[in-house]
Structure formats: structure tokens, C-alpha cells
Amino acid sequence: MIRTLILAGVFTALLSAPCGAAVQTDAQAVPVSGATGPTQPAAGIVNLDPLTVSGPQPGPGLWRVSRGEHDLWILGALSPLPEGITWNADSVVDLVGQSQEVLWGPRFVVDADVGFFRKLSLGYGMLKAEKNPDGATLEDVLSPELYARWAAAKQRYLPRDRGIERKRPMVAAREVFLAAIGEAGLGFPKIISPPIRAVTQADGIKETTPKVSVKIEDPAGAIKDVRRMSLNDSACLEATLDAIDRLLPRMITNANAWATGDLAQIRFDQLDRRNNTCADVFSNAEFSRKWGIPDIRASTRDEWLRAAEASLAKNTTTFAVLPLEDLVAPDGYVARLRALGYEIDAP
């Protein structure tokens, strides 16, 4: 559930945010991948039926995690959602008002101790890191078959963006995906946090965001490494085009089902390929060792679980928000909490 849809981990931070900015990983991961095995390219771009959801919707049910008299209520958030949707948050607002703490999704934070002008110069370096090495274009770095698919998608979704031809395939994938979901009527409306934060601020309820922080001592050097890295990110673009061609209908079905509270209709089993493929682009062991980058997904999940257990131990009622796909995955938060011995009541 994304706002930086494809870039992952520290590479995302170095490319798309000023040094010291926080990068949400699990809590913003987008459920937009395909099946776990390779797929053949679709013959063409699918024309989608319009979204069926509009106006106020009930939203999903809540998971209840309990031990004794202590409860943790978890709302599974989904992105993208239909643009213009509104949400009846009365039941959530009531629960938040009864809670002693609100627990948000985990964050991965890249910290770099640099001054203002240094950040400006690093920003230029980040922009250059988004481009293909040696001034290459997408036509230069993609296979003829993949470039033909990219050109068709670009013509439809990004017809006026000339500069994107010199961007890395993963950056092109991010931009075309954003444009495609926008055309499908999907986006990232801020409908969950505002009603929750209105209560926490009015009633002085504690908010906790578990964080894993990594200190980058030489951000300029890290960016230079990124610019020099030879990445197999063509696979990321291919998986993204597959997602646009084949999986946008599933995303629309998921969005409609989430909005109406019909969680039984939501499926993520065929939406992992793109997410995993694009994340694998950054699985550079040498880079991670050099800059002290941990396993981001595992470390942020572990940090959230530590915070959840602490909240359950001290609070009578805690309210939490997590991305739905991470909540219900076979190795996700619900499974981990159940394995820790907590009682789980699903919606």
C-alpha cells in the first residue's frame, strides 16, 4: 500500500526522499504483483469496467487480538482504493475513543546527518540516480519485445512524458503504474487516518509508529553507488506491465470488496509477483553490507510485533492499522500473533 509504489527499502529512500526522510515499507506496499511463477506477456492492454463503489461505504471489519482482558483491534487498510470514496468510520471512531493507544504500521527510516545545502546537492544526485547509466534510453536497455510493450503502455498512459525514456526501468514502471491505476479510477484517498487522528488529538490518546532506523554516514557515497549499480530492473517493468494488463481487474475487485466490507472477495494470491520482483531488484548483498542495511521487511515486521506485544501487555484496549495484505498473508501479522499464543477473532 504504497505511496512510493515500486521503489523499495533504502534505494527508495535515496532516490525519492531527502536524506533523513522516513520511508514506509510494509505499511505502504502495494498489492499489485502477479503470480509467483513467470507469466507470458498479455497480448494487449485491457479496457476495464468502471468501479462499482461510490459514496459512503462501511469499510472492512476488524480483527480482534486478545489475551485475558487486553484487546488489540486491527483495521486492515488497502491501497489503492476508488477515488472519491467516503467511509463510515463511526465504529472505528468509537473504538479509538475507548483505546489507550493507537498503533500505526511500521516504518523504515534512513537517517543522514547533512546540512541544508548538502541536501540540495544530494537531491541533484538522486535525480541523476533515477536515470540509466551512461545516458542509455529504455530502448537501449530493454529487449525489443519488452520495449514494444512499454511503448504501447507509455502511449496510452504517459503520452506527454518524453523524459521518462532516459529513466531506469523501475522508475518507468512506477510512473506508468500510477498513471494506469488513475485511469482505472483508483488512487490513494486519505480516508483512514484523518478520523482516527481527530480522536487521538482531541482526547490526547497516545500514537505509536514502530521504526527501524539506519544511519547512512556517507549519503553522497551511497547515491554514487546507486548510480553505478547495474540492476536487473527490466524484470520489474515487465512484471508491472503484466499487472496493468492482467491484474488491474483484481485490484478493482479488491477495492470494491474492501469498501463494502466483503473481505471474502479479496484475494492477494496472484498479486505478489510484481511486488516481489521489483523488491528483488534491490537485493544487493554487497550494497546492504557496505551501508548497514538490514532485511527491511523482516526487521520492520519484528519491530511492529514487539510494539504490539508491549501495547497488549499494558493497555486494556489498543487500536492498530496495518496493510491488509500483510495482515492476512500466510506469514503475516495475524499468523504471527496466533503463533505467539494470542486469541484471534477475524471479521
Side-chain angles (χ1 to χ4, degrees):
M1 306 195 22
I2 37 180
R3 292 196 176 87
T4 57
L5 294 179
I6 296 174
L7 301 182
V10 68
F11 201 96
T12 306
L14 293 174
L15 284 180
S16 60
C19 294
V23 177
Q24 193 104 1
T25 53
D26 289 338
Q28 293 177 341
V30 190
V32 289
S33 324
T36 55
T39 60
Q40 295 299 316
I45 298 173
V46 175
N47 287 315
L48 300 173
D49 292 333
L51 292 167
T52 59
V53 166
S54 62
Q57 299 297 327
L62 302 174
W63 277 259
R64 182 180 182 180
V65 181
S66 304
R67 179 172 287 172
E69 301 299 318
H70 298 252
D71 293 329
L72 168 65
W73 294 88
I74 307 177
L75 170 65
L78 182 70
S79 287
L81 287 171
E83 288 285 8
I85 189 175
T86 57
W87 175 42
N88 184 345
D90 290 349
S91 60
V92 164
V93 166
D94 288 343
L95 265 176
V96 173
Q98 300 169 31
S99 301
Q100 292 78 57
E101 185 176 3
V102 170
L103 187 60
W104 297 101
R107 305 182 75 187
F108 178 77
V109 181
V110 177
D111 182 25
D113 185 15
V114 293
F116 174 73
F117 290 103
R118 182 67 168 154
K119 287 181 181 179
L120 290 181
S121 65
L122 288 174
Y124 176 71
M126 292 172 203
L127 290 175
K128 293 184 72 174
E130 286 192 343
K131 296 181 179 180
N132 289 305
D134 302 321
T137 66
L138 288 173
E139 189 171 11
D140 296 328
V141 301
L142 301 178
S143 69
E145 295 79 13
L146 182 55
Y147 184 77
R149 292 186 67 199
W150 155 253
K154 178 184 179 296
Q155 180 60 34
R156 173 166 180 175
Y157 298 114
L158 299 167
R160 297 182 179 86
D161 192 342
R162 297 180 181 177
I164 201 167
E165 286 293 327
R166 293 195 176 276
K167 299 293 180 66
R168 289 182 185 261
M170 61 185 177
V171 178
R174 176 190 64 195
E175 297 303 322
V176 75
F177 182 77
L178 282 169
I181 64 170
E183 182 176 295
L186 295 169
F188 309 98
K190 294 182 179 180
I191 62 172
I192 292 178
S193 60
I196 294 174
R197 288 209 159 101
V199 179
T200 60
Q201 292 171 8
D203 297 350
I205 297 170
K206 179 182 179 181
E207 296 185 55
T208 299
T209 302
K211 296 178 183 178
V212 174
S213 181
V214 172
K215 177 82 170 183
I216 301 293
E217 300 292 347
D218 181 13
I223 291 172
K224 287 180 181 178
D225 275 1
V226 168
R227 289 170 56 188
R228 288 193 297 262
M229 284 172 65
S230 177
L231 302 174
N232 182 26
D233 51 351
S234 296
C236 174
L237 178 56
E238 182 177 13
T240 299
L241 295 176
D242 287 345
I244 292 171
D245 288 344
R246 297 183 173 191
L247 300 177
L248 274 178
R250 164 47 59 187
M251 295 178 66
I252 292 174
T253 299
N254 282 356
N256 288 334
W258 183 94
T260 58
D262 188 6
L263 295 181
Q265 297 299 316
I266 295 179
R267 298 285 185 274
F268 296 112
D269 53 336
Q270 295 190 9
L271 298 178
D272 291 334
R273 176 175 167 258
R274 172 185 169 272
N275 212 30
N276 293 336
T277 300
C278 292
D280 285 346
V281 171
F282 311 99
S283 298
N284 186 306
E286 181 181 354
F287 182 86
S288 297
R289 284 195 300 270
K290 180 176 180 179
W291 299 104
I293 309 301
D295 182 323
I296 296 170
R297 186 177 181 85
S299 61
T300 51
R301 281 191 172 186
D302 289 346
E303 188 65 26
W304 187 90
L305 286 166
R306 282 191 287 271
E309 289 209 273
S311 298
L312 272 160
K314 67 185 177 183
N315 300 328
T316 302
T317 305
T318 304
F319 189 87
V321 180
L322 286 170
L324 183 59
E325 67 271 30
D326 292 326
L327 191 59
V328 301
D331 62 343
Y333 290 109
V334 167
R336 295 280 297 275
L337 288 164
R338 184 177 285 114
L340 290 169
Y342 294 96
E343 182 180 344
I344 309 291
D345 293 323

